[in-house]
Every structure is written in C-alpha cells, then in structure tokens.
Amino acid sequence: MRRPGRRTVLGVAALVVLALAGGVVALVLALRGSGPEAVAQDYLRAQWSGDWRAECDLATLEWRDAELYGGHPFADCAAYADAAKEASTDNPFLPYADDTDVEVTVQALNEEDGRARVEYVVELRYHGEDQSGFDELWQGGGAYDRGTVELVEVDGDWRVAGVDAG
C-alpha cells in the first residue's frame, strides 16, 4: 500500500487551515450582529406584522419603557408581547392582514460613534377581495408610512432608540 506523498499532506493541511479561517470569519460576522439598516427593517416589519416579541427585542430598554410599554411595568418582552397581542384583537387592520404584503425600504442617512439614523418607507400592498374596505381604512391617505429610525449600538448590537413617523 502506498503512503500519501508530501504534496498530498500539504494540500490537505492547507484545506484544513482555509476551512478553519473561513469558519472564524463567519463566526465573527455572525457575532457582530446586523447593521442599523437591517435592524430598522426587521423592527418595522415586526411592528407592521404584529410580531410584538421581535419588535420589543430590537428596541433599547429606554425605547421600550418610553414608547412600547406605554407606562405599563412589563417584566420582559414576552409579557409585553402577550399583552400587545391581546390588546390588538380589535385592530381594524386585522381582517386585511393575511391579504396584505408589507414592503419595507430603508436607507441609512448617517452612522457614526455608535449612533445611526435610517430613513424608511413602509408600503402595504393589498391583494384581497375587499379593496374598497382596505382603501376606506386608510381614508384616502395611501397605505404607506414613512419616517426615520434612530438606532444606537448596545453591547455591539444595533437597537432601535426611537421612531419618527412623518
């Protein structure tokens, strides 16, 4: 039986080193977290789709207390999500939600020193059978929202610190 040559051993060693280096790079990128645009986009999608847990998880503690919790002393995001789900049962948008696509577009305006500002547009595209009811819900104003999201870096991850619709 023939033993592997020196070139074969070196080739295998080089492949192992490359695989390890690629794994380390992937791990560093994964641990670094998403950029401010992705976090803003995820937050807005969660907000419009009723994913209250994700919305809360992507917010700073200060934004949760000031805006999301609305003065209620929720213990954590799970408690907030349960209460928000229950409170949203009379939301007039709910009958249209399954037939509506939520398109979120973001663009970074600036990012420096652990702070970022992202501009956004949210468009709702309804493809159900009650178009007139959907249009009436928006009272001719158009099924879209636009504004800016303020983000800060918290322990290496971007979190929403405020939303200014306008």
Side-chain angles (χ1 to χ4, degrees):
M1 178 177 231
R2 192 170 168 216
R3 292 182 14 185
R6 184 174 183 185
R7 286 185 184 171
T8 304
V9 171
L10 289 176
V12 170
L15 287 175
V16 169
V17 168
L18 286 174
L20 286 173
V24 168
V25 168
L27 181 63
V28 167
L29 291 175
L31 292 176
R32 192 177 72 180
S34 299
E37 296 95 340
V39 170
Q41 193 170 43
D42 290 346
Y43 178 87
L44 293 164
R45 276 198 185 110
Q47 187 178 54
W48 279 95
S49 67
D51 186 351
W52 312 117
R53 177 66 189 256
E55 176 189 28
C56 184
D57 286 338
L58 293 170
T60 63
L61 295 174
E62 295 80 12
W63 183 246
R64 290 176 193 168
D65 290 340
E67 187 65 27
L68 296 184
Y69 290 178
H72 299 282
F74 295 113
D76 55 24
C77 285
Y80 164 74
D82 291 343
K85 182 178 181 179
E86 186 175 317
S88 70
T89 58
D90 63 349
N91 182 336
F93 180 70
L94 282 179
Y96 304 96
D98 288 342
D99 295 322
T100 303
D101 296 325
V102 179
E103 176 82 24
V104 179
T105 307
V106 296
Q107 177 181 357
L109 297 175
N110 59 41
E111 178 185 339
E112 59 184 68
D113 297 329
R115 301 190 67 77
R117 194 162 152 243
V118 175
E119 183 177 58
Y120 73 87
V121 174
V122 176
E123 293 181 69
L124 305 176
R125 294 193 181 103
Y126 181 69
H127 48 81
E129 295 182 19
D130 187 13
Q131 186 67 49
S132 63
F134 182 81
D135 292 342
E136 185 177 318
L137 178 65
W138 300 104
Q139 301 173 355
Y144 65 92
D145 180 33
R146 67 178 62 234
T148 57
V149 178
E150 303 290 330
L151 299 106
V152 295
E153 251 184 316
V154 178
D155 298 328
D157 292 320
W158 288 99
R159 294 290 177 250
V160 173
V163 177
D164 182 20

